[in-house]
Amino acid sequence: MHVERVLREYGQLLRPMNEAPRDGKRILGHHPRTRRLVLCYWETAPAALVGPVWIGEQDGRRGYLDRYFDGWLDPQDLRLLDADAVNRLLVAYIDDARAGDDTAALKLLEQA
């Protein structure tokens, strides 16, 4: 996948959840169904929950299990991409769409 290679070069690719820090550091957990990022941290002894979980806010009443997320990002590693990076991503996206015969993506690109 060309897009993944380009994103990896810029440090913007999701890491596996088993590599997420469990020291209280905040991360962005990615939910695959909603495709949203949740700012959270690992809490080993949450007050109102059964066991260790990802908590979305200080003293949060709701926690997230590892399997809720399909990967994570370190918010400190995020940076804005310049025009060259965006152009490289667009070309990589088109290459991936053509290689995968993604007609919906290609049709969308033709309309733009």
Side-chain angles (χ1 to χ4, degrees):
M1 300 279 296
H2 299 290
V3 170
E4 288 182 13
R5 179 182 47 78
V6 173
L7 287 173
R8 186 175 290 114
E9 289 175 18
Y10 290 101
Q12 307 294 323
L13 196 62
L14 291 176
R15 300 179 196 168
M17 284 308 294
N18 64 352
E19 296 177 7
R22 288 174 166 68
D23 59 0
K25 180 180 178 180
R26 295 212 178 259
I27 67 161
L28 291 168
H30 181 262
H31 185 270
R33 189 171 41 85
T34 63
R35 303 176 93 174
R36 294 188 180 184
L37 295 170
V38 177
L39 184 62
C40 55
Y41 68 96
W42 185 251
E43 175 63 68
T44 56
L49 301 169
V50 175
V53 291
W54 295 100
I55 302 290
E57 59 186 55
Q58 211 63 1
D59 299 324
R61 294 177 178 244
R62 184 169 79 168
Y64 305 95
L65 301 174
D66 278 353
R67 65 179 178 265
Y68 183 80
F69 302 117
D70 66 346
W72 70 283
L73 293 169
D74 186 342
Q76 294 177 343
D77 290 345
L78 295 178
R79 63 178 189 234
L80 293 176
L81 300 178
D82 59 17
D84 289 336
V86 172
N87 287 336
R88 289 185 64 211
L89 278 171
L90 181 58
V91 169
Y93 179 78
I94 293 168
D95 289 344
D96 285 347
R98 286 183 177 149
D101 198 27
D102 187 345
T103 56
L106 294 171
K107 189 174 185 177
L108 179 67
L109 289 169
E110 289 173 5
Q111 293 173 356

